[in-house]
Amino acid sequence: MLKPILILSAAVVGVLIGFATGSSWPVAGFVAAAIVVWLTAFMLLRKDRTRFQSYSRLHSVWPCLLCAGLGAMSAYWNSPGPEALPLYVECGIFGRVEDSRSLTTADLLTVRLYSVTPSGGHEIECRNISVLLYAGGDVQLLPGDEIAYHSVLLPNAAAAPGRPAYVSHDMVRIYRNDAEAAASGGKKQYRLKPGGLRIVGHKDNVATLMWQWRNRIAISLENSSLSAASAGMLRALLTGVRSGIKEDESGVFRDGGVAHTLAVSGLHVGIIAALLSWLTMPLNLLRSRRLRLVAVCAGIWIFTLFTGLMYSTLRAALMFTFGIVGRETGRRSSPLHGVCMAAFLIILVWPEALWDAGFQLSFLCVAALIVFVEPLNPISHRHHPVTYKMVSALLVTLVATGATWMVSARYFGSVPMNFMLCNIIVLPVIPVIMSAGMAYVVILMCGTDFILLGRLIDGAIRMIYSILDRFSVHVIDIEPSLISVSLWFSGIVMLAIALHYHRPAARTLPGAMVLPVSRTPEDTVPLHRPTLIAAILLFLLSLIVI
C-alpha cells in the first residue's frame, strides 16, 4: 500500500527540485544514484536472486530515485525559457493562439510564444511561455491561429506555474517623454497606436478541433429556447466551460458547497460511463463483452478530450482504464494504486499541475474516499447491503468535504455549513439534467429545438437555483494559514494510519488538528472557532473509531 505513495512522493520531490534549480543536474544525480543502488543490491545478492527480488529496502529505494529523476526531467523540459523577457518596451511578438474567450469589451486569448523581438534588439526564442492577449480589433482569432503583432509585455499579477506569465494588448502603449510629462503636470501618461495584429498561419490539432465543437455547442445553446441560466449550466456540465454562468449564479453553488458539480470531474465521467454502458447493452446479445468495454472506454476518453483534458476528468479516465485493463488481464486492481498511477502520469506530462487547485482538490477527494469511506462504515455489506449503501453515500459527502475544506477555504476564503443538505438535494438531479441535456443538444445540433424538453430542463435548473438560494445562507468567511493546512492534513494522515494499521500511538496525533491557527481576512481572530470545533469533532471521531 505504501509503495505507490512513496513512488508518487518521489516524483513530486523531483518536480519541485527540477523547477527550483531549472537545470538538468538533478536528473543526472537521481538517475545515477538509482543505478548505483541497484548495482549495489545486485552485487550483494547476486548469488541469491530470490533474496534480491524480495529485499524490499534496496528494491524500493532505486525505483523512488528513478521516479524522482523522471520528475526532475519533466520539470526541466517544461520550465520556461528564458527566465525573463523585456518589459514595458515595444516588442514584435510571434506565437500561436491556444485558447479564446469572449469578454464584454474584448476577446481574451492565451498565446504560446514562439519568439519576442524587442525594438532595436535581437530575436529571443521562447520555450513554454504564454501570454494573455486582450484583442479588441476586427480580426477574428481562433485557437490554432499563428499571429504576429507589436505590443508591450506587462507582468501578470496572477502568474503561477502553468499560467501565462505576461499580459499584452493589440495596441502599443507609447509613454510620453519627460518634457510632455512635465507639461501635463508630472503624470505618467501614454498614447496608443495599433499593434498591427495579423494572422500569419494556422495549425490544427486535436485541442483546436475540440474547441471548435465546444464553441458550436455554446452558440447553439445561446440561440435555443433555453434561458440564459440553463444554457450556461448545460454548457458547464457538458463542455466544462463555465464562462456562461454569471458570478451571482456560481456564487449560489459555491455558498451551498456544491460548486464541484459545475466543474467537470469524476462525477460527470461516471455519468457518461453509465449512459454508455446502457447504450451499448445490445452488444451483450452478441456476446461481445470486451467490445462493449472498449466502446465505453473510448467514449470516456472522447469526453475527456472534448472537455479540454481537465485534470479531474483525466484522473477519472485513467483510473477507469486501469480498472478495466486490470480486470481483463486477471490482475487484482487497487483503487489506491490507480489514483497514484494517474497522479504520477499527469505530473510527468504536466508538472505544473501540482500548483493547480483542481488537481489538488480532485486527488485529495478521491484518495480520502478510498482510504476512509469503507473503514468508517459500521454497517455490514453482507447482512445489510441497502443500509450499507445509504450510509456510504452519506460518508462520501462527509469524507470528501473533510478532506478538501481546508484547501478550498485556502483558495476561496469561505466554508459552506449546509453542504450536506445541499449535496443530498443536488447530486441526484445532476445525472438527470446531464442525460436530458445531452439528448437536447444532439437534437439541437440536428437543427430542431425540442421546446418541451427545454422547458423541463429550465424548470429543473430553476428549482435547483431556488433551493440552493434558500439553504446557502450559512457561510463562514475563513482563510486558513499554511500552518493550519499542514496540521490538518498531518492529522488526517495519522488517522488513516491508525485506521488501516491499528497503531494506538497514532490516535493521539490527530490532536494536532486542534491546534490550527486560522486567520480571518481582517487578521483579528487568531483562532477561528469553527475550525477549532471541526478539529475537535474529528479528533473525537478518531478516538471512537480507533
Side-chain angles (χ1 to χ4, degrees):
M1 177 178 178
L2 291 178
K3 186 173 290 187
I5 299 177
L6 290 175
I7 290 178
L8 175 61
S9 302
V12 171
V13 170
V15 168
L16 296 176
I17 294 177
F19 273 120
T21 58
S23 65
S24 59
W25 288 108
V27 182
F30 281 125
V31 174
I35 294 174
V36 168
V37 172
W38 187 89
L39 288 176
T40 302
F42 181 77
M43 295 300 294
L44 293 176
L45 307 171
R46 60 180 176 177
K47 294 182 180 180
D48 190 351
R49 298 293 179 86
T50 304
R51 187 184 174 193
F52 168 68
Q53 293 294 335
S54 62
Y55 197 60
S56 59
R57 290 186 178 178
L58 289 178
H59 197 62
S60 297
V61 170
W62 73 265
C64 290
L65 291 172
L66 182 61
C67 290
L70 292 175
M73 180 176 66
S74 176
Y76 171 70
W77 283 109
N78 287 275
S79 59
E83 294 184 0
L85 292 175
L87 301 176
Y88 306 108
V89 296
E90 182 179 351
C91 299
I93 300 173
F94 178 44
R96 179 171 59 88
V97 178
E98 290 188 332
D99 191 20
S100 176
R101 184 158 58 95
S102 295
L103 302 177
T104 304
T105 57
D107 290 336
L108 178 60
L109 309 174
T110 302
V111 180
R112 177 62 63 96
L113 296 182
Y114 291 157
S115 64
V116 172
T117 306
S119 180
H122 298 285
E123 182 181 14
I124 302 174
E125 298 290 337
C126 300
R127 178 173 62 92
N128 299 322
I129 298 179
S130 296
V131 60
L132 290 177
L133 169 61
Y134 291 89
D138 298 330
V139 181
Q140 182 66 32
L141 297 175
L142 300 175
D145 289 338
E146 294 182 333
I147 60 175
Y149 64 101
H150 285 79
S151 183
V152 175
L153 291 178
L154 307 174
N156 184 11
R163 296 181 181 179
Y166 303 96
V167 176
S168 64
H169 301 76
D170 59 351
M171 304 289 286
V172 182
R173 297 184 178 187
I174 302 178
Y175 290 94
R176 297 182 177 182
N177 54 34
D178 295 338
E180 292 178 339
S184 62
K187 297 181 180 180
K188 190 176 183 180
Q189 299 181 1
Y190 57 85
R191 59 185 176 87
L192 299 176
K193 74 173 184 178
L197 178 64
R198 64 189 186 279
I199 300 175
V200 297
H202 184 83
K203 286 186 178 180
D204 272 330
N205 52 29
V206 176
T208 59
L209 294 176
M210 292 302 168
W211 182 90
Q212 293 173 8
W213 275 102
R214 291 197 299 269
N215 195 46
R216 290 178 186 176
I217 291 177
I219 294 174
S220 299
L221 288 174
E222 289 176 359
N223 297 327
S224 67
S225 60
L226 291 175
S227 63
S230 299
M233 185 173 178
L234 272 188
R235 185 183 178 189
L237 293 176
L238 300 180
T239 67
V241 180
R242 290 180 287 178
S243 59
I245 301 178
K246 298 179 180 179
E247 181 63 29
D248 56 343
E249 295 170 351
S250 62
V252 171
F253 276 78
R254 183 174 58 252
D255 294 341
V258 290
H260 58 91
T261 58
L262 296 178
V264 177
S265 60
L267 170 67
H268 306 77
V269 173
I271 295 171
I272 296 294
L275 288 174
L276 292 175
S277 298
W278 179 74
L279 292 174
T280 57
M281 198 175 296
L283 293 177
N284 286 342
L285 300 177
L286 303 176
R287 296 181 179 181
S288 302
R289 186 177 61 87
R290 290 193 174 181
L291 179 60
R292 182 187 180 192
L293 292 176
V294 170
V296 173
C297 193
I300 288 175
W301 278 103
I302 291 174
F303 178 74
T304 304
L305 288 171
F306 178 72
T307 53
L309 285 177
M310 297 182 179
Y311 298 131
S312 53
T313 55
L314 192 58
R315 183 263 310 157
L318 286 171
M319 292 184 65
F320 186 85
T321 305
F322 295 153
I324 289 180
V325 173
R327 187 173 64 180
E328 292 301 313
T329 55
R331 298 193 176 190
R332 182 182 177 184
S333 59
S334 170
L336 186 61
H337 287 200
V339 71
C340 289
M341 188 63 183
F344 178 76
L345 293 177
I346 292 175
I347 287 174
L348 285 188
V349 180
W350 298 283
E352 64 274 5
L354 284 176
W355 287 268
D356 185 78
F359 175 87
Q360 297 172 8
L361 293 172
S362 176
F363 278 93
L364 280 175
C365 179
V366 173
L369 295 179
I370 294 172
V371 172
F372 287 107
V373 170
E374 186 175 354
L376 290 178
N377 196 333
I379 308 299
S380 173
H381 180 270
R382 180 178 300 178
H383 297 92
H384 307 284
V386 178
T387 308
Y388 176 85
K389 292 179 180 179
M390 294 176 61
V391 174
S392 295
L394 295 175
L395 283 174
V396 164
T397 302
L398 283 173
V399 169
T401 305
T404 59
W405 78 274
M406 267 285 187
V407 178
S408 180
R410 176 75 179 173
Y411 281 112
F412 306 112
S414 63
V415 177
M417 301 305 295
N418 287 337
F419 65 90
M420 175 64 75
L421 180 60
C422 293
N423 275 277
I424 291 175
I425 295 173
V426 173
L427 287 180
V429 185
I430 293 298
V432 179
I433 292 178
M434 278 195 66
S435 304
M438 281 188 284
Y440 181 78
V441 167
V442 170
I443 297 173
L444 194 63
M445 297 297 288
C446 294
T448 303
D449 191 348
F450 195 171
I451 298 178
L452 178 59
L453 182 58
R455 289 178 179 176
L456 293 175
I457 294 174
D458 267 334
I461 293 177
R462 280 199 303 268
M463 180 188 68
I464 289 178
Y465 275 116
S466 62
I467 292 175
L468 290 179
D469 190 39
R470 178 174 299 180
F471 290 105
S472 60
V473 294
H474 301 290
V475 180
I476 299 175
D477 294 327
I478 176 176
E479 188 177 348
S481 64
L482 200 56
I483 297 176
S484 303
V485 178
S486 302
L487 290 174
W488 180 265
F489 283 106
S490 298
I492 289 181
V493 170
M494 295 303 109
L495 178 59
I497 293 174
L499 284 174
H500 287 270
Y501 293 96
H502 305 289
R503 296 179 180 177
R507 69 177 60 176
T508 59
L509 293 175
M513 294 182 293
V514 181
L515 303 177
V517 181
S518 300
R519 62 184 179 87
T520 60
E522 295 81 9
D523 284 329
T524 56
V525 183
L527 187 63
H528 204 267
R529 186 176 299 174
T531 309
L532 180 60
I533 294 174
I536 294 175
L537 289 178
L538 191 56
F539 174 59
L540 294 177
L541 176 64
S542 67
L543 293 179
I544 294 172
V545 174
I546 300 171

